[in-house]
Every structure is written in C-alpha cells, then in structure tokens.
Amino acid sequence: MPLDIVTIPCLADNYAYLLHCRETGQVAVVDVPEAAPILAALKERDWPLHMILVTHHHSDHIQGVDELREKTGAVVLGAKADEHRLPKLDVAFNEDDSFAVGSEIGEVIDVSGHTVGHIAFHFPNADIVFSADSLMALGCGRIFEGTQPMMWKSLQKFMEMRPETLVYSGHEYTASNAKFALTIEPDNQALQKRAADIDATRAAGGFTVPASIELELATNPFLRADLPEVKELLGMADASDAEVFGEIRTRKDNF
C-alpha cells in the first residue's frame, strides 16, 4: 500500500489522520479537531501538507481547519451538501466523486445520518475508509439530523466493502460501545473476545482504531440488525432490518 496512515489523537477523544503517499510525497489530513497536534506530527516527519479532507460540519472535526490552512497552504475539500456550514472549501464533493492523494484514488461516499451531508472517504485499492462519525468502532454515530432508515442505508454502504477494509473512525468510544454491544448479544463469543482485547489495548495506552469491516460485521450490533439471531434476541423476529436497527440505536441513545 503506497499510503502511510498516522493516527493523531486530538481534544479529549477525537482522531485526525494523516495520509502520506510514499510514491509522490503528497500528504492529506482527514478532519482537524485542532491544528497543533497535526502540525507537530507533520514537523516530526518533515512532511508538507497538501490537502485537508473534511467529513462533516461538527466543530470537533473542523475547528482547526482555518489555522491549519493558514500555516500550511493546504487546500480544503468537503461535501457540497455541507458547504454552507463548513470552512471555505476549495473543492466541493458530491457522492461518487473521486480525488487523488498522490497515486492513491479516493472515492466520496454520502453517509448521512449523524448529520445530513456527512461524507466518508474510501480508498478501495488500499482497503481503507475514513468514516468519522458514521460507522464507528463497535458503534455508529448518534443520529442528530438524519433519520434511522437513512443511517441504516448509509451503514449498508460499509457492509458491502471488502471484509479486509480497515475503518478509521473519528473517536475513541470503543470501550463504552463494547459495554453496550454486550447488552444486545451477551453470548457473542467474537464480541466477548473483542471487548477483552479493547480493555487490554486501552490499558496499555493504545488505539482501538482502525478495525476491519470483517470484525465490525462479527461484533458491531448496528451492522447486525439484519441477522435473524439478533432480531430474535430483541423479540423482533418479523421486523424489517431498518426497524431493528432503529431499536438498537434507540437503546444506545438511552444506555
């Protein structure tokens, strides 16, 4: 894979990600919760910054964009549907638009639900996707602007990706997500193992992202709403997939 990925903790529990193309030296960042840690990571590696990729308008993902742009000269790219509430965009994306970070081609996916106009950045040849607050490690974003069926439709886009695809999400929420997931499927052995691994990783100061689509499909309750065994556990054997997803999301909201 020609892309190096650097995970940068920001604020209390956010992540930004640097993407570095080994072939061309081009560098992008996904989301800017704050500029200082990103500038420090660039300086440490002696990397320039060429582009800032923005997933959605929430302040904990964009509040450092203008400072980072001013100090690096990077161009800012984000969703056209969100343009009215993002920092000034140099490039406004629609779904299915593509772009390049060096020699690696990225695709823009509309994953509305958490917000309307939220996008993800998928690099299919590299099997990586930057999902921010749509699909999260063992969870999904709270639905602030969209609807439960809209979010379920967005999550299905991730479910169709190759199992080895690595999901780089926007927050370190995985330990609390695991506690909730176990209330839905307490006997899921893959989930039990993942929860133990998460506790060990966090105790050692490590990151629980990225995680593979394969692991998410085996353990993330929000991606398992279509499974008969999950519907049975919820007493919703005859419900639609979207209805079951909505029940799980409502339970998480009240957890």
Side-chain angles (χ1 to χ4, degrees):
M1 185 177 76
L3 285 180
D4 297 311
I5 311 296
V6 179
T7 302
I8 305 173
C10 297
L11 304 176
D13 53 28
N14 279 73
Y15 288 127
Y17 299 101
L18 287 180
L19 294 66
H20 170 257
C21 176
R22 295 179 203 148
E23 294 178 5
T24 66
Q26 191 168 36
V27 180
V29 67
V30 178
D31 287 342
V32 189
E34 54 182 333
I38 297 167
L39 289 165
L42 291 166
K43 183 177 181 181
E44 179 184 340
R45 292 161 179 81
D46 196 25
W47 288 351
L49 184 67
H50 300 91
M51 61 177 67
I52 298 168
L53 301 167
V54 177
T55 60
H56 67 296
H57 72 89
H58 283 163
S59 62
D60 62 328
H61 292 259
I62 63 169
Q63 61 193 22
V65 167
D66 287 332
E67 180 184 351
L68 191 62
R69 171 176 21 209
E70 180 184 342
K71 291 184 175 175
T72 64
V75 296
V76 180
L77 306 88
K80 187 169 185 59
D82 229 8
E83 190 170 16
H84 60 291
R85 51 189 183 175
L86 292 175
K88 184 178 183 302
L89 298 180
D90 298 292
V91 178
F93 288 133
N94 293 304
E95 185 169 37
D96 297 327
D97 283 350
S98 60
F99 61 99
V101 178
S103 60
E104 200 66 52
I105 302 300
E107 299 174 350
V108 177
I109 306 171
D110 181 340
V111 289
S112 293
H114 176 66
T115 66
V116 174
H118 192 311
I119 56 176
F121 302 108
H122 183 209
F123 293 82
N125 291 334
D127 288 318
I128 56 177
V129 62
F130 297 91
S131 60
D133 294 0
S134 52
L135 175 60
M136 308 184 82
L138 259 184
C140 76
R142 187 182 288 264
I143 300 168
F144 287 118
E145 297 176 6
T147 64
Q148 291 176 345
M150 178 189 289
M151 182 62 115
W152 174 242
K153 183 179 177 183
S154 292
L155 292 179
Q156 287 177 292
K157 297 177 183 181
F158 295 104
M159 295 164 71
E160 293 166 359
M161 293 177 185
R162 286 197 288 256
E164 58 269 32
T165 302
L166 292 177
V167 182
Y168 290 83
S169 51
H171 290 272
E172 185 56 64
Y173 291 164
T174 322
S176 59
N177 286 345
K179 290 181 175 64
F180 170 73
L182 285 164
T183 70
I184 303 296
E185 287 190 278
D187 297 326
N188 180 329
Q189 291 185 353
L191 175 57
Q192 292 171 354
K193 181 183 183 305
R194 188 177 184 189
D197 290 346
I198 288 162
D199 288 342
T201 297
R202 293 304 292 158
F207 308 142
T208 63
V209 294
S212 70
I213 290 290
E214 181 176 33
L215 184 59
E216 294 299 329
L217 288 170
T219 56
N220 186 329
F222 297 104
L223 299 191
R224 296 171 61 79
D226 59 338
L227 298 179
E229 59 266 36
V230 173
K231 293 182 178 185
E232 196 71 43
L233 284 168
L234 296 175
M236 300 179 71
D238 298 324
S240 70
D241 300 347
E243 287 170 337
V244 177
F245 166 78
E247 172 64 19
I248 296 170
R249 185 60 256 178
T250 299
R251 290 189 185 198
K252 180 64 165 70
D253 291 344
N254 298 312
F255 183 67

